[in-house]
Amino acid sequence: MTQLQTVKKAAAYINKKTKNFKPETALITGSGLANSVPALDNKIVIPYAEIPGFLRSTVAGHSGNLIFGEYKGKKIAVMQGRFHYYEGHPMKDIAIAIRTLWMLGVKNLLVSAAVGSINAKLKPGSLCVLKDHINLMANNPLIGNYDPAFGPMFCDMTDTYDKEIAKKTLAIAKKYKINALPGVYLAVTGPNFETPAEIQAFKKLGADVVGMSTVPEVITARQLGLKICGLSWVTNLASGISKTPLSHKETLEETKKIEGKFAKILQDLLVKI
Ligand code: HPA
């Protein structure tokens, strides 16, 4: 089966369940960030495991559901839990969920994630609103995955992150006194955290934050022509900058503190988008 056929099948299954609900904005929730999503009206929850062709997420803190509903009249889809390359999923299969959302009608994609910070101005609890990224995953979800239905093979990556949405997000953060800055996300595969030498190299390359997700989804969404906003929440200072050893436990503990801030941002952003 081609990926276009897989995506059509998944979208048909979802459309049957939701009676052709057409979400306009989709949100991907990163490690421990699912609780920040506001209550949705007419909510429908579909476990990934039910959807034909969908992958299953396997990481603690990432439950796997696709959620549909309305927030103040806006039609929203939420990916509660995402698929990471380090879980062993083929990179091209990470595109399936994003392409399915696009087929359902999604136009805007908000991608949240937990990240480590390389920039001294972005302490834990800060928000980095992405202005660009550097893909050091040495792989790409578009490889061996081409169908003209999804957009150009050689898709342009200039202005990938929507400037208007980023501006609105930064203004909302300011309103709630949440420390937020625009920045560059550098993507690694993980699952190990970086070495201090890698972090020093990434700093020289111009990265502000480092993480193990976001970029595959963003590349896929860019090819599809979606408007993209990257919301990277700093859970720790990166390796060698942090005074304590890094752990996933720390990431999840820090996201507990971030949940409330992210909820405030989403309440405003979802209606302004
Ligand atoms: N590095 C990579 N990914 C991360 C980090 C980090 O320090 N923190 C949370 N996700």
Side-chain angles (χ1 to χ4, degrees):
M1 206 188 289
T2 65
Q3 195 167 101
L4 182 60
Q5 288 167 324
T6 302
V7 165
K8 279 185 178 162
K9 216 169 148 187
Y13 180 85
I14 295 164
N15 273 327
K16 210 166 146 196
K17 283 248 156 177
T18 63
K19 303 193 175 68
N20 297 316
F21 180 80
K22 242 174 125 22
E24 199 179 338
T25 297
L27 166 69
I28 305 175
T29 57
S31 290
L33 293 168
N35 294 336
S36 305
V37 181
L40 301 178
D41 300 322
N42 307 315
K43 183 167 153 181
I44 299 171
V45 181
I46 311 178
Y48 294 150
E50 248 186 47
I51 306 171
F54 257 52
L55 306 175
R56 276 139 231 233
S57 69
T58 60
V59 194
H62 288 262
S63 49
N65 294 302
L66 205 50
I67 303 172
F68 299 93
E70 282 168 51
Y71 178 67
K72 298 194 175 154
K74 295 279 184 179
K75 293 191 167 142
I76 312 283
V78 181
M79 273 184 75
Q80 188 185 43
R82 58 143 61 89
F83 308 109
H84 301 86
Y85 186 43
Y86 62 70
E87 292 174 74
H89 302 301
M91 187 59 106
K92 65 177 162 47
D93 289 352
I94 295 174
I96 295 169
I98 311 300
R99 288 173 168 177
T100 302
L101 289 166
W102 162 77
M103 196 162 273
L104 296 173
V106 164
K107 302 276 185 272
N108 311 307
L109 184 67
L110 309 180
V111 191
S112 70
V115 290
S117 173
I118 305 175
N119 180 335
K121 293 192 181 122
L122 288 166
K123 302 252 160 21
S126 305
L127 173 64
C128 184
V129 180
L130 303 190
K131 61 177 182 189
D132 208 341
H133 73 232
I134 300 170
N135 180 13
L136 282 192
M137 286 183 152
N139 205 337
N140 188 304
L142 308 184
I143 293 177
N145 211 4
Y146 186 61
D147 194 303
F150 297 129
M153 177 185 269
F154 304 103
C155 72
D156 173 58
M157 296 299 288
T158 322
D159 293 330
T160 291
Y161 296 88
D162 189 85
K163 288 199 168 101
E164 279 306 306
I165 306 177
K167 209 167 133 190
K168 285 177 189 166
T169 308
L170 289 164
I172 295 165
K174 195 167 177 194
K175 172 177 150 192
Y176 291 114
K177 300 191 167 58
I178 295 164
N179 186 44
L181 284 176
V184 174
Y185 181 110
L186 187 141
V188 291
T189 62
N192 61 287
F193 289 109
E194 303 68 40
T195 64
E198 285 167 343
I199 292 302
Q200 286 313 307
F202 298 166
K203 190 172 178 176
K204 290 198 176 113
L205 291 178
D208 296 289
V209 293
V210 58
M212 307 172 191
S213 63
T214 299
V215 163
E217 295 137 342
V218 166
I219 292 172
T220 306
R222 178 64 174 171
Q223 185 185 44
L224 295 163
L226 304 189
K227 283 190 184 175
I228 300 163
C229 181
L231 304 159
S232 292
W233 288 97
V234 175
T235 54
N236 57 280
L237 299 174
S239 163
I241 305 173
S242 171
K243 301 218 170 0
T244 53
L246 308 189
S247 70
H248 188 55
K249 189 168 162 276
E250 177 192 35
T251 301
L252 293 179
E253 279 168 11
E254 276 301 320
T255 48
K256 277 265 151 262
K257 299 182 203 160
I258 288 165
E259 264 174 17
K261 298 186 197 182
F262 190 29
K264 282 184 186 159
I265 301 245
L266 285 176
Q267 269 170 29
D268 283 22
L269 187 58
L270 288 173
V271 284
K272 285 200 170 137
I273 220 169

